[in-house]
Amino acid sequence: MSGFFERDLTDSGEVFTPTSESKSGWGDIVRGPAITALLARAIENVVAPRDADGQATADASGQTPAQDRQHASGSADRREKEGQAQLIPARTTFELHSPVPRRPLRTEVRILRDGRRLKLVEADLICGDSVYARARSVWLRPNDDADVSDNTPWHADRQFTTPGPGPWNPSNDRRLFRSADKPWSDQGWGHQDAGRKTVWQLPVPVVVGEFHSPYQVAATVADVTNLATGWGPEGLDFINADATLSLVRLPSRNEVGVQAIDRVDHDGIAIGTGVLFDEDGQFGTAQVTTILQPGGRIRFEDPETGAPNKLV
């Protein structure tokens, strides 16, 4: 069974051991999507916990999401409506400041603000006594009654192409690729060019045997924005220093895409921005701040000499 980590429950809490699927193309370290997804899992288990099958469970206050803040002021109908509107992880910034070793890891989570409409949560990824990555996430409560249709500002009218059912033969990265007007393919080599990139991420559970929540799906793809925006004719030269995930809703499927919409670089620092979408359309954006990895270019190999669907 696939997944980035094996989970063990010890006297001191959860311990996560990286699997072979967590190995980065940059070396014997944990890959970015595994890091962002594990931090998202830690945050979600405090704000909107689920069991291994994806069912809502009680949070730290003893309430399920459907019961959350039922004591809010107002009428009984309003309390019921607000209780049913689950918080959305509207913005999460992942600080990827240190290479994460492929050794047993643990997470620590702190609630910085626990409001009715806004929660601010921070999580650390720890190996031994050192923090290797950190995430800070703002969760907002949506308003199903909001109507500002009489005051709609400008927005891009984007149309997205999603891959068909296949059959596909992706590597353990579980990705499909599209460049400019080329069709979708599971072979990255055929898209190693200067065209605008779109990457479709097939599901990889964060923890072996666990449900892959919509938030974890989105967090996985946030890191992949670097591939969509920074991948050129000779491969990928920049590595993520951080990734910011912004959502107006959670993805409706466990397969999602990221399409490059902007990139700027100067003197070895680059910023890439991607739009996140599923079969129902756009649900958010992601932006990565990256730094040149000297001598560390990774690329898809020529099918005559290697694996054309895996970055090495």
Side-chain angles (χ1 to χ4, degrees):
M1 187 177 293
S2 65
F4 290 133
F5 300 95
E6 295 275 3
R7 171 186 175 271
D8 293 301
L9 189 59
T10 69
D11 292 340
S12 57
E14 293 180 312
V15 175
F16 304 94
T17 302
T19 69
S20 60
E21 293 192 47
S22 73
K23 186 177 183 298
S24 171
W26 297 103
D28 193 22
I29 55 176
V30 178
R31 62 193 309 184
I35 297 169
T36 54
L38 186 60
L39 285 167
R41 177 189 180 277
I43 291 170
E44 186 172 39
N45 278 348
V46 169
V47 179
R50 299 173 181 269
D51 62 22
D53 296 321
Q55 300 302 309
T57 61
D59 63 12
S61 68
Q63 296 175 311
T64 66
Q67 299 167 328
D68 187 34
R69 299 296 186 251
Q70 291 280 343
H71 60 274
S73 60
S75 67
D77 289 343
R78 181 181 176 186
R79 290 199 301 271
E80 181 178 358
K81 183 181 293 293
E82 290 182 343
Q84 291 173 346
Q86 297 184 25
L87 292 162
I88 297 295
R91 193 269 298 155
T92 307
T93 295
F94 303 95
E95 298 173 355
L96 310 172
H97 52 75
S98 302
V100 177
R102 295 183 65 243
R103 300 202 299 269
L105 307 168
R106 59 188 177 88
T107 58
E108 289 185 359
V109 183
R110 296 169 294 282
I111 298 179
L112 305 181
R113 175 176 169 78
D114 191 14
R116 181 178 63 82
R117 298 180 64 205
L118 183 152
K119 292 182 188 289
L120 178 61
V121 187
E122 192 173 70
D124 291 339
L125 183 61
I126 301 167
C127 183
D129 296 324
S130 299
V131 175
Y132 284 83
R134 173 169 293 160
R136 179 173 284 205
S137 187
V138 175
W139 291 61
L140 303 178
R141 192 178 302 281
N143 181 354
D144 293 340
D145 294 330
D147 183 4
V148 289
S149 58
D150 63 336
N151 187 31
T152 303
W154 177 91
H155 65 279
D157 184 15
R158 296 191 176 96
Q159 303 295 320
F160 302 100
T161 300
T162 58
W168 304 108
N169 183 34
S171 71
N172 61 359
D173 290 340
R174 303 286 296 161
R175 295 173 190 156
L176 306 176
F177 311 97
R178 190 168 187 260
S179 178
D181 294 329
K182 293 180 180 179
W184 285 101
S185 169
D186 54 25
Q187 306 294 301
W189 168 261
H191 301 274
Q192 196 152 266
D193 53 38
R196 181 184 184 185
K197 304 294 193 301
T198 307
V199 181
W200 187 259
Q201 181 69 58
L202 300 169
V204 181
V206 182
V207 173
V208 174
E210 275 192 6
F211 168 78
H212 198 196
S213 78
Y215 178 39
Q216 294 167 25
V217 170
T220 300
V221 176
D223 183 87
V224 180
T225 303
N226 185 29
L227 178 59
T229 59
W231 174 21
E234 297 299 326
L236 187 64
D237 292 316
F238 290 73
I239 190 169
N240 284 345
D242 76 11
T244 296
L245 171 68
S246 300
L247 304 175
V248 295
R249 65 169 173 87
L250 290 168
S252 58
R253 309 286 195 279
N254 63 0
E255 300 180 8
V256 300
V258 53
Q259 183 177 85
I261 57 173
D262 191 36
R263 186 177 187 275
V264 59
D265 69 84
H266 182 74
D267 289 348
I269 297 174
I271 300 170
T273 306
V275 59
L276 307 183
F277 65 98
D278 56 22
E279 291 183 351
D280 295 326
Q282 182 178 351
F283 60 85
T285 63
Q287 184 177 84
V288 292
T289 305
T290 64
I291 186 169
L292 180 67
Q293 186 81 332
R297 176 178 290 170
I298 56 177
R299 65 196 312 273
F300 291 94
E301 294 183 290
D302 187 319
E304 297 295 326
T305 61
N309 61 350
K310 182 172 176 59
L311 281 166
V312 293

